[in-house]
Amino acid sequence: MIYAGGCYGGYLAHLIAKIAPHHTNAVIDIACAPLPFFEMFMGRALGHGEFFINTDDFSIHCFTKTFWNENNFTKAHYEIRSLLTPSHLQIQKTHCEHIHYVSYHSSEDEFKTAKDKKLLYEIYEKMGFKAKLHLAKKEDIDHKIIRDLTHGGISNHRVFLKELPILLKDFERGKFPLQNASISYPCEDKTFIFKDEGNAYTLRIR
C-alpha cells in the first residue's frame, strides 16, 4: 500500500507506516508536522481552535468533539503519536526499512516545523530507510509544484502526479504478500501493541 496526504493527511500516512509497517510500501507527504500539536487533542481545554474559518468579516475558531483532556492525555499517548520518539525510531529500523518515504516541505513553513521534518528525514537516511526530503527554498518556486513557501504553498496534486509513477515503477516487479504480523512500542508505563487478528488490525495497551 502507498499512503499519501498533505498536512494532517501526510502525518497520518507516516503514522500508518509506524504502526502498520507490514501493510505499508511507501509514504508520500506534503508539509506534515512530525510532532503532534496539543491543539489537535486538547484545543478546547487550551482555549485554542483546532482549525479556523476566515472570512472578510469573521475569524471562526473551531473545535472537534473529543474525549481527550489534560487528565487522560498522558505522555505515553503523545509518544505513540510522535514521529520523533527516539526509542520508537529504533524499533522502526527493524520493521520499516523496506518503506519508501518521500516528503515535500517548505523551509519557511509558518508553523515552524521545517527543522523537525529535516531532523526526521536525516534520521531516516542514517538508519538506511529509502527517504527523500524536498525542503523547498525560494529558488525552488516554480509556480507549479512549489507555488510559494507558505504551509499550503505546495501542490498536493502535482506532487502525487510526479512521485506516484516513480514509486509504481520501483515496485513494478516486486512481490508483496499479505502478512500477519505485529509491532510493539513501549511508552512510559504502557506498551502499545498493534497486530493482525483475523480480518482486523487491533491495538492492545498493556
Side-chain angles (χ1 to χ4, degrees), residues 3-23:
Y3 299 98
C7 189
Y8 192 60
Y11 164 73
L12 290 178
H14 279 91
L15 193 61
I16 292 169
K18 174 178 177 176
I19 67 174
H22 46 290
H23 294 301

Side-chain angles (χ1 to χ4, degrees), residues 54-135:
N54 295 308
T55 71
D56 292 338
D57 301 305
F58 298 100
S59 178
I60 303 172
H61 293 217
C62 304
F63 305 89
T64 56
K65 184 177 181 180
T66 177
F67 295 102
W68 293 118
N69 59 52
E70 60 272 24
N71 297 318
N72 63 17
F73 190 79
T74 67
K75 186 177 178 181
H77 294 109
Y78 182 85
E79 284 183 357
I80 193 62
R81 289 164 172 79
S82 168
L83 303 178
L84 275 170
T85 302
S87 59
H88 295 181
L89 285 163
Q90 287 295 328
I91 295 168
Q92 285 180 253
K93 183 177 180 180
T94 304
H95 293 81
C96 308
E97 58 186 12
H98 64 282
I99 299 174
H100 294 235
Y101 294 90
V102 181
S103 181
Y104 285 69
H105 205 98
S106 169
S107 60
E108 298 181 19
D109 189 297
E110 59 267 36
F111 293 103
K112 310 299 182 186
T113 53
K115 183 179 178 182
D116 292 335
K117 181 61 76 63
K118 187 170 183 287
L119 175 60
L120 176 63
Y121 272 72
E122 285 174 350
I123 293 171
Y124 279 165
E125 289 183 15
K126 286 179 181 177
M127 287 185 162
F129 295 146
K130 301 175 182 71
K132 177 64 177 177
L133 171 63
H134 302 267
L135 192 61

